[in-house]
Amino acid sequence: APSLMPSSQPSTQPSSAPSTLPSSEPSNMPSSRPSATPSLLPSTQPSSHPSMKPSVTPSSSPSAAPSAEPSVLPSREPSLQPTFVPTVLPSSQPSSTPSFVPSLPPSLKPSLHPSGEPSSWPSSEPTVIPSIAPTDIPSTFPSMLPTFENCDMSKEQRRFEITEALKTVSDPIVLLTPGTPQNKALEWLLEEDKAVLCPDDFSCPSYPAFVQRYVMAVFYFSTDGGTWNECNAASNVCDPLEVAKANANCTVLANGIDVFRIDVTQGTDSWLSPSSECLWGGLACRNDTLCMDRIEFEDDGLGGTLPFEVQNLTELRYLIVEEGTTSGTIPSEYGTFRTLHILDLNFNTLTGTIPVEIYDLQLLFQLDLNDNFLTGTIATEIGTIQFLQFIQVEVNRLSGTIPEEMGNNSFLRVVEFFGNQLTGDMPQGLCDLRNNTGGSIFRLTADCDAGDAFFVNCSVPDCCTDCPF
């Protein structure tokens, strides 16, 4: 039977039954079987070998060697060495060194800091939310699937492809120079435009859809968009409420008379809004192709200059920018339109000459350039515009003589030359086209008063209809 009181020295041989109270020092040999109840106080030193079963409550200090099985409850302090099998519940504090085997289920929250080393193998799919911070070293292998944002490509790839393409539309240096209309249009298209057009979108078969949208944005910034009377872009084009407010202040329609009666899509949305550019005020697209068909503004306060990039709208039939403060020159590139019917830029402050390339517009039937500050002469090539019906260049600073070749413009109906510095005789070929001699011209004017400083010899009413100045 055990002693009632502990001995001062441990027994050399173990007793057949455990002591009621613990000895002051541990026995040299263990008891043949464990006590029925645990010691009231723990040992002052840890056991040399781990217990066969885990303690019900954790020790104040970690064991020198790990348990064979995990504890039911985690330790207050991390183990010095990792366990060979993961714990059922996570520790309150992370281990100082990683486990040899990863946890079976993932953590509920991402790590606040990245791993020091990349994973040995990539994830099977990209993460929904990116890491809070990047890893210090790149992964050894890439993910199985890339992360996509729009257009089945990364944002960076979309920017690269669109920018490279637009370098053929605008001057590359101007395109990338901050503050230019071209750069403003580019950045809006890539960063703010909610339409998010893709590089391979050819809704208009003649050119990528993003080219048309970019060109119209360039037009907006070039002609002082934001100071127009109507249809200015919203103060925040990403805010639906601001866009709706801007839309309410747009009533301009591109609805001029079309003798060909081509069906078009048009609207009165504010410019740079998320809707199709075909629905922006003053614009219209063909229904069958969605290519830009008309740019039509009259007395809407457009200023700035005319961008040459408009030449890329190869299906354009109407270019009307009237009664504003648009200055600068008429881009010679406007002579490349293959279907342009009306070029109407009157009542602005345009300078320079009439580009000779304009006379290459073989389907042009109306050329309105009156009330500007145009100089130079009227080139003889004007006689090659086969279907020209209206030419109004009055009240400019044109000089020289009226070309004889205009007698070849057999469809002319209105011809206005007055208010210029033209001299010489009115070509007989034009006089022969007057409606009083079987022709179609019912109005022909020039500075034909004898007292005019710049005088064109044209008798009234035999040739000219009147001499306004």
Side-chain angles (χ1 to χ4, degrees):
S3 305
L4 296 178
M5 296 296 291
S7 54
S8 59
Q9 298 294 326
S11 304
T12 306
Q13 297 294 325
S15 54
S16 58
S19 306
T20 305
L21 295 174
S23 51
S24 58
E25 294 186 14
S27 305
N28 292 334
M29 298 295 290
S31 306
S32 59
R33 53 196 173 90
S35 306
T37 58
S39 305
L40 298 177
L41 296 174
S43 307
T44 57
Q45 298 295 323
S47 305
S48 302
H49 299 281
S51 308
M52 297 302 177
K53 295 185 178 181
S55 306
V56 176
T57 57
S59 311
S60 58
S61 299
S63 305
S67 308
E69 296 183 11
S71 306
V72 176
L73 296 175
S75 309
R76 296 187 182 88
E77 297 293 333
S79 306
L80 298 179
Q81 298 293 327
T83 53
F84 296 103
V85 181
T87 53
V88 178
L89 296 176
S91 309
S92 58
Q93 297 293 326
S95 306
S96 56
T97 57
S99 308
F100 295 114
V101 182
S103 305
L104 296 178
S107 306
L108 299 178
K109 296 182 180 181
S111 304
L112 296 179
H113 298 285
S115 308
E117 297 290 333
S119 306
S120 299
W121 296 100
S123 309
S124 58
E125 295 185 8
T127 52
V128 177
I129 303 175
S131 306
I132 296 175
T135 52
D136 298 324
I137 303 175
S139 304
T140 306
F141 295 95
S143 305
M144 298 298 181
L145 297 174
T147 304
F148 295 130
E149 297 188 23
N150 291 297
C151 307
D152 290 334
M153 62 178 62
S154 67
K155 181 178 181 180
E156 292 74 18
Q157 183 66 21
R158 176 176 177 266
R159 169 178 278 273
F160 173 78
E161 291 192 18
I162 288 179
T163 301
E164 288 301 302
L166 292 180
K167 287 179 181 179
T168 66
V169 175
S170 297
D171 181 284
I173 296 177
V174 176
L175 178 68
L176 301 178
T177 300
T180 64
Q182 290 76 10
N183 187 256
K184 290 179 180 178
L186 174 66
E187 292 304 317
W188 166 79
L189 183 71
L190 295 176
E191 300 296 335
E192 298 182 64
D193 186 17
K194 294 301 182 182
V196 191
L197 298 184
C198 299
D200 59 353
D201 182 355
F202 278 79
S203 51
C204 171
S206 298
Y207 40 74
F210 71 84
V211 170
Q212 177 167 286
R213 200 163 175 86
Y214 165 77
V215 168
M216 297 324 305
V218 171
F219 180 88
Y220 178 77
F221 290 116
S222 293
T223 57
D224 293 344
T227 65
W228 298 352
N229 298 333
E230 293 187 41
C231 303
N232 293 296
S235 58
N236 182 354
V237 295
C238 299
D239 184 343
L241 293 178
E242 290 298 323
V243 171
K245 187 187 302 183
N247 289 348
N249 190 34
C250 182
T251 62
V252 179
L253 274 173
N255 60 352
I257 297 174
D258 179 16
V259 296
F260 299 101
R261 297 182 179 180
I262 293 178
D263 292 332
V264 296
T265 296
Q266 60 180 310
T268 56
D269 286 353
S270 58
W271 279 56
L272 308 187
S273 66
S275 62
S276 167
E277 65 277 8
C278 300
L279 300 178
W280 297 350
L283 302 181
C285 297
R286 292 178 64 115
N287 275 352
D288 55 351
T289 64
L290 293 183
C291 297
M292 190 60 60
D293 185 70
R294 299 184 181 193
I295 300 174
E296 191 171 337
F297 286 95
E298 182 175 354
D299 194 24
D300 194 35
L302 274 67
T305 60
L306 297 169
F308 76 87
E309 285 88 351
V310 175
Q311 69 166 326
N312 290 275
L313 307 177
T314 54
E315 306 301 313
L316 195 68
R317 294 189 304 133
Y318 294 81
L319 179 52
I320 302 172
V321 182
E322 296 185 277
E323 300 181 42
T325 58
T326 305
S327 59
T329 60
I330 301 171
S332 61
E333 291 83 357
Y334 287 7
T336 63
F337 293 118
R338 60 191 180 194
T339 60
L340 195 67
H341 298 327
I342 295 178
L343 180 60
D344 189 349
L345 307 175
N346 59 19
F347 293 100
N348 280 291
T349 58
L350 297 170
T351 57
T353 63
I354 301 174
V356 67
E357 291 83 0
I358 295 298
Y359 306 129
D360 292 331
L361 300 173
Q362 292 305 303
L363 296 182
L364 191 71
F365 60 81
Q366 182 172 334
L367 180 61
D368 278 356
L369 303 176
N370 57 280
D371 290 85
N372 280 287
F373 299 95
L374 299 174
T375 57
T377 62
I378 302 171
T380 59
E381 286 83 355
I382 193 172
T384 65
I385 308 178
Q386 184 178 358
F387 301 107
L388 189 63
Q389 298 180 32
F390 299 86
I391 175 169
Q392 296 176 303
V393 293
E394 71 271 20
V395 192
N396 277 287
R397 298 174 181 176
L398 299 174
S399 58
T401 60
I402 300 170
E404 291 281 351
E405 288 78 3
M406 289 194 69
N408 298 327
N409 303 121
S410 57
F411 291 96
L412 284 173
R413 300 179 63 193
V414 174
V415 184
E416 305 266 26
F417 291 123
F418 71 90
N420 280 289
Q421 300 173 12
L422 298 169
T423 57
D425 295 331
M426 182 66 69
Q428 186 58 45
L430 279 176
C431 296
D432 293 341
L433 294 176
R434 275 292 315 281
N435 59 344
N436 59 1
T437 60
S440 57
I441 297 178
F442 63 87
R443 181 165 177 79
L444 175 60
T445 65
D447 297 313
C448 51
D449 282 336
D452 288 339
F454 297 95
F455 175 72
V456 175
N457 184 22
C458 184
S459 62
V460 179
D462 297 333
C463 186
C464 283
T465 56
D466 64 299
C467 308
F469 282 4

